[in-house]
Amino acid sequence: MSITDILYTVIAGGLLGALGQGIRIAVGLKKLSDYNAQQVASGNAPEKMDTGRLWVSIFIGFVAGAIGMIIKGASLKTADGYQTEAIVTIIAIGYAGADFIEGFFQTYFSKVNAAAPVTITATPPVTVSVEKATSSPVSVDEEPELVADEYTPQHNNALG
């Protein structure tokens, strides 16, 4: 199998996956139509379709079909013709795989968004005043006085 054959097989898998996702979209559009009919009947505004999400969904179906074709590792065409079972399998992978991938990301992003928001509050400015002590003036040139009984050298007897 040459590289072009592999590329054609993966692209065919992606297109079949996008077809499977298209079937899923058709079902979703029917549900949206029924929901909007209920909304209009009750006097509410209908919900609009998000075309950006539609295209992302088709792309996810393409990727799921391509991955499915790579995992399956077989060609759709045999000496007798096309393998109907393999074609239906890749379409189903596009349908269910896209549903799985979107569900996974929806769950992941809902967990990220549900995390406690980080609140950063500013602390009030701190005012520092330095006052000069007047009780006993100390000059900078004076060194501190050493007291003899504060330092007692210790012998290291641990080494024997």
Side-chain angles (χ1 to χ4, degrees):
M1 195 176 215
S2 69
I3 191 73
T4 55
D5 291 338
I6 294 171
L7 189 61
Y8 288 148
T9 302
V10 170
I11 289 173
L15 292 175
L16 288 172
L19 177 65
Q21 182 60 23
I23 294 168
R24 185 170 170 257
I25 289 170
V27 172
L29 288 176
K30 172 65 174 133
K31 287 181 182 179
L32 179 65
S33 174
D34 293 345
Y35 176 77
N36 282 341
Q38 290 176 351
Q39 292 295 320
V40 170
S42 65
N44 295 329
E47 188 176 321
K48 295 185 179 186
M49 182 182 68
D50 185 7
T51 55
R53 185 172 177 197
L54 177 91
W55 286 109
V56 168
S57 182
I58 290 173
F59 178 72
I60 290 173
F62 183 90
V63 169
I67 290 172
M69 195 65 159
I70 292 169
I71 291 171
K72 187 169 175 8
S75 176
L76 298 175
K77 191 173 181 182
T78 62
D80 299 334
Y82 290 97
Q83 296 179 357
T84 307
E85 187 177 305
I87 292 171
V88 172
T89 301
I90 300 301
I91 290 173
I93 287 173
Y95 185 97
D99 190 30
F100 172 77
I101 292 169
E102 284 181 353
F104 174 77
F105 279 113
Q106 220 169 24
T107 303
Y108 175 75
F109 286 128
S110 67
K111 286 181 183 178
V112 169
N113 291 338
V118 177
T119 308
I120 299 174
T121 57
T123 58
V126 177
T127 308
V128 178
S129 63
V130 179
E131 296 178 14
K132 194 173 188 179
T134 57
S135 62
S136 63
V138 178
S139 70
V140 179
D141 295 336
E142 293 181 18
E143 291 191 23
E145 189 178 314
L146 293 177
V147 181
D149 62 354
E150 288 182 359
Y151 177 71
T152 308
Q154 299 292 323
H155 297 290
N156 190 354
N157 293 330
L159 297 175

